[in-house]
Amino acid sequence: MKIVAVCGMGIGTSVLLKMNAEKVLAQLGVDADVEAADIGTAAGAARMADIVLTSAELADEIGPVKAKIVVIDNFINLAEIKEKLGAVL
């Protein structure tokens, strides 16, 4: 399974979201490849992904992809990430 964490620049918050998603996936016992991406490369990365994690502001900018787009409101809230990611796994 491939998951892409997307933020505006692909440097800070997407890396934080990636790390927190990996923690949650470990808790859930799910093996997945998680990568961080900026919004400019997100559409391309999302074409190969199963799930995209991003903010509400960027969700519409990703474009039409087959991946499930999951909006995360608080990138440091492990409980929220676990709840929303668990719902689409």
mmCIF file of all heavy atoms in Angstrom, residues 47-67:
data_model
loop_
_atom_site.group_PDB
_atom_site.id
_atom_site.type_symbol
_atom_site.label_atom_id
_atom_site.label_comp_id
_atom_site.label_asym_id
_atom_site.label_seq_id
_atom_site.Cartn_x
_atom_site.Cartn_y
_atom_site.Cartn_z
ATOM 1 N N ARG A 47 -1.341 9.476 -8.287
ATOM 2 C CA ARG A 47 -1.772 8.513 -9.306
ATOM 3 C C ARG A 47 -1.308 7.103 -8.978
ATOM 4 O O ARG A 47 -1.920 6.132 -9.383
ATOM 5 C CB ARG A 47 -1.242 8.929 -10.678
ATOM 6 C CG ARG A 47 -1.977 10.100 -11.241
ATOM 7 C CD ARG A 47 -1.633 10.357 -12.692
ATOM 8 N NE ARG A 47 -2.225 11.617 -13.091
ATOM 9 C CZ ARG A 47 -1.531 12.711 -13.367
ATOM 10 N NH1 ARG A 47 -0.229 12.706 -13.304
ATOM 11 N NH2 ARG A 47 -2.159 13.805 -13.710
ATOM 12 N N MET A 48 -0.203 6.994 -8.248
ATOM 13 C CA MET A 48 0.350 5.692 -7.886
ATOM 14 C C MET A 48 0.000 5.307 -6.444
ATOM 15 O O MET A 48 0.374 4.250 -5.983
ATOM 16 C CB MET A 48 1.868 5.708 -8.054
ATOM 17 C CG MET A 48 2.318 6.064 -9.466
ATOM 18 S SD MET A 48 1.675 4.950 -10.727
ATOM 19 C CE MET A 48 2.576 3.482 -10.351
ATOM 20 N N ALA A 49 -0.705 6.186 -5.740
ATOM 21 C CA ALA A 49 -1.000 5.965 -4.326
ATOM 22 C C ALA A 49 -2.382 5.365 -4.127
ATOM 23 O O ALA A 49 -3.261 5.465 -4.980
ATOM 24 C CB ALA A 49 -0.904 7.283 -3.561
ATOM 25 N N ASP A 50 -2.540 4.745 -2.969
ATOM 26 C CA ASP A 50 -3.845 4.232 -2.557
ATOM 27 C C ASP A 50 -4.589 5.264 -1.723
ATOM 28 O O ASP A 50 -5.810 5.358 -1.770
ATOM 29 C CB ASP A 50 -3.665 2.950 -1.736
ATOM 30 C CG ASP A 50 -2.969 1.869 -2.538
ATOM 31 O OD1 ASP A 50 -3.549 1.416 -3.538
ATOM 32 O OD2 ASP A 50 -1.835 1.494 -2.174
ATOM 33 N N ILE A 51 -3.822 6.041 -0.930
ATOM 34 C CA ILE A 51 -4.398 7.031 -0.022
ATOM 35 C C ILE A 51 -3.553 8.291 -0.071
ATOM 36 O O ILE A 51 -2.320 8.223 -0.123
ATOM 37 C CB ILE A 51 -4.437 6.491 1.433
ATOM 38 C CG1 ILE A 51 -5.320 5.247 1.516
ATOM 39 C CG2 ILE A 51 -4.913 7.561 2.410
ATOM 40 C CD1 ILE A 51 -5.239 4.521 2.855
ATOM 41 N N VAL A 52 -4.215 9.451 -0.029
ATOM 42 C CA VAL A 52 -3.539 10.741 0.081
ATOM 43 C C VAL A 52 -4.015 11.394 1.369
ATOM 44 O O VAL A 52 -5.220 11.513 1.601
ATOM 45 C CB VAL A 52 -3.857 11.659 -1.116
ATOM 46 C CG1 VAL A 52 -3.242 13.039 -0.914
ATOM 47 C CG2 VAL A 52 -3.369 11.037 -2.417
ATOM 48 N N LEU A 53 -3.078 11.806 2.200
ATOM 49 C CA LEU A 53 -3.381 12.542 3.427
ATOM 50 C C LEU A 53 -3.015 14.000 3.188
ATOM 51 O O LEU A 53 -1.898 14.303 2.759
ATOM 52 C CB LEU A 53 -2.553 12.002 4.598
ATOM 53 C CG LEU A 53 -2.694 10.521 4.922
ATOM 54 C CD1 LEU A 53 -1.707 10.134 6.018
ATOM 55 C CD2 LEU A 53 -4.109 10.200 5.338
ATOM 56 N N THR A 54 -3.942 14.914 3.467
ATOM 57 C CA THR A 54 -3.664 16.327 3.236
ATOM 58 C C THR A 54 -4.615 17.191 4.056
ATOM 59 O O THR A 54 -5.491 16.674 4.757
ATOM 60 C CB THR A 54 -3.758 16.667 1.731
ATOM 61 O OG1 THR A 54 -3.203 17.968 1.516
ATOM 62 C CG2 THR A 54 -5.176 16.596 1.214
ATOM 63 N N SER A 55 -4.456 18.494 3.919
ATOM 64 C CA SER A 55 -5.330 19.446 4.609
ATOM 65 C C SER A 55 -6.555 19.741 3.744
ATOM 66 O O SER A 55 -6.553 19.504 2.536
ATOM 67 C CB SER A 55 -4.567 20.745 4.884
ATOM 68 O OG SER A 55 -4.241 21.373 3.657
ATOM 69 N N ALA A 56 -7.569 20.314 4.349
ATOM 70 C CA ALA A 56 -8.793 20.671 3.623
ATOM 71 C C ALA A 56 -8.496 21.689 2.530
ATOM 72 O O ALA A 56 -9.087 21.638 1.446
ATOM 73 C CB ALA A 56 -9.832 21.220 4.593
ATOM 74 N N GLU A 57 -7.553 22.602 2.787
ATOM 75 C CA GLU A 57 -7.222 23.648 1.825
ATOM 76 C C GLU A 57 -6.607 23.087 0.541
ATOM 77 O O GLU A 57 -6.756 23.670 -0.527
ATOM 78 C CB GLU A 57 -6.235 24.657 2.436
ATOM 79 C CG GLU A 57 -6.767 25.432 3.622
ATOM 80 C CD GLU A 57 -6.707 24.651 4.941
ATOM 81 O OE1 GLU A 57 -5.911 23.700 5.054
ATOM 82 O OE2 GLU A 57 -7.470 24.999 5.849
ATOM 83 N N LEU A 58 -5.908 21.962 0.653
ATOM 84 C CA LEU A 58 -5.205 21.414 -0.504
ATOM 85 C C LEU A 58 -5.929 20.244 -1.171
ATOM 86 O O LEU A 58 -5.569 19.853 -2.277
ATOM 87 C CB LEU A 58 -3.801 20.968 -0.092
ATOM 88 C CG LEU A 58 -2.880 22.081 0.409
ATOM 89 C CD1 LEU A 58 -1.545 21.505 0.849
ATOM 90 C CD2 LEU A 58 -2.690 23.152 -0.644
ATOM 91 N N ALA A 59 -6.927 19.691 -0.540
ATOM 92 C CA ALA A 59 -7.599 18.493 -1.053
ATOM 93 C C ALA A 59 -8.130 18.679 -2.472
ATOM 94 O O ALA A 59 -7.959 17.806 -3.321
ATOM 95 C CB ALA A 59 -8.723 18.073 -0.113
ATOM 96 N N ASP A 60 -8.739 19.816 -2.757
ATOM 97 C CA ASP A 60 -9.311 20.052 -4.088
ATOM 98 C C ASP A 60 -8.241 20.286 -5.152
ATOM 99 O O ASP A 60 -8.491 20.092 -6.332
ATOM 100 C CB ASP A 60 -10.266 21.246 -4.058
ATOM 101 C CG ASP A 60 -11.527 20.946 -3.275
ATOM 102 O OD1 ASP A 60 -11.877 19.756 -3.143
ATOM 103 O OD2 ASP A 60 -12.161 21.898 -2.792
ATOM 104 N N GLU A 61 -7.047 20.717 -4.727
ATOM 105 C CA GLU A 61 -5.981 21.017 -5.676
ATOM 106 C C GLU A 61 -5.278 19.760 -6.195
ATOM 107 O O GLU A 61 -4.537 19.834 -7.164
ATOM 108 C CB GLU A 61 -4.951 21.948 -5.036
ATOM 109 C CG GLU A 61 -5.507 23.336 -4.751
ATOM 110 C CD GLU A 61 -4.446 24.275 -4.227
ATOM 111 O OE1 GLU A 61 -3.303 24.225 -4.724
ATOM 112 O OE2 GLU A 61 -4.766 25.037 -3.308
ATOM 113 N N ILE A 62 -5.498 18.631 -5.568
ATOM 114 C CA ILE A 62 -4.835 17.396 -5.979
ATOM 115 C C ILE A 62 -5.378 16.905 -7.318
ATOM 116 O O ILE A 62 -4.667 16.319 -8.104
ATOM 117 C CB ILE A 62 -4.947 16.326 -4.878
ATOM 118 C CG1 ILE A 62 -4.147 16.798 -3.667
ATOM 119 C CG2 ILE A 62 -4.472 14.967 -5.362
ATOM 120 C CD1 ILE A 62 -4.344 16.003 -2.430
ATOM 121 N N GLY A 63 -6.614 17.202 -7.582
ATOM 122 C CA GLY A 63 -7.204 16.821 -8.865
ATOM 123 C C GLY A 63 -7.833 15.448 -8.815
ATOM 124 O O GLY A 63 -7.864 14.791 -7.780
ATOM 125 N N PRO A 64 -8.327 14.996 -9.961
ATOM 126 C CA PRO A 64 -8.993 13.688 -10.011
ATOM 127 C C PRO A 64 -7.970 12.547 -9.987
ATOM 128 O O PRO A 64 -7.153 12.423 -10.895
ATOM 129 C CB PRO A 64 -9.748 13.726 -11.338
ATOM 130 C CG PRO A 64 -8.986 14.697 -12.183
ATOM 131 C CD PRO A 64 -8.376 15.689 -11.240
ATOM 132 N N VAL A 65 -8.006 11.783 -8.920
ATOM 133 C CA VAL A 65 -7.124 10.623 -8.765
ATOM 134 C C VAL A 65 -7.941 9.470 -8.208
ATOM 135 O O VAL A 65 -8.987 9.678 -7.599
ATOM 136 C CB VAL A 65 -5.922 10.923 -7.831
ATOM 137 C CG1 VAL A 65 -4.986 11.935 -8.464
ATOM 138 C CG2 VAL A 65 -6.389 11.395 -6.474
ATOM 139 N N LYS A 66 -7.462 8.252 -8.403
ATOM 140 C CA LYS A 66 -8.178 7.088 -7.882
ATOM 141 C C LYS A 66 -7.924 6.891 -6.388
ATOM 142 O O LYS A 66 -8.664 6.199 -5.717
ATOM 143 C CB LYS A 66 -7.787 5.829 -8.653
ATOM 144 C CG LYS A 66 -6.364 5.400 -8.439
ATOM 145 C CD LYS A 66 -6.047 4.090 -9.088
ATOM 146 C CE LYS A 66 -4.615 3.712 -8.735
ATOM 147 N NZ LYS A 66 -4.379 2.332 -8.664
ATOM 148 N N ALA A 67 -6.885 7.525 -5.867
ATOM 149 C CA ALA A 67 -6.551 7.394 -4.449
ATOM 150 C C ALA A 67 -7.652 7.990 -3.578
ATOM 151 O O ALA A 67 -8.323 8.944 -3.974
ATOM 152 C CB ALA A 67 -5.226 8.093 -4.150
#
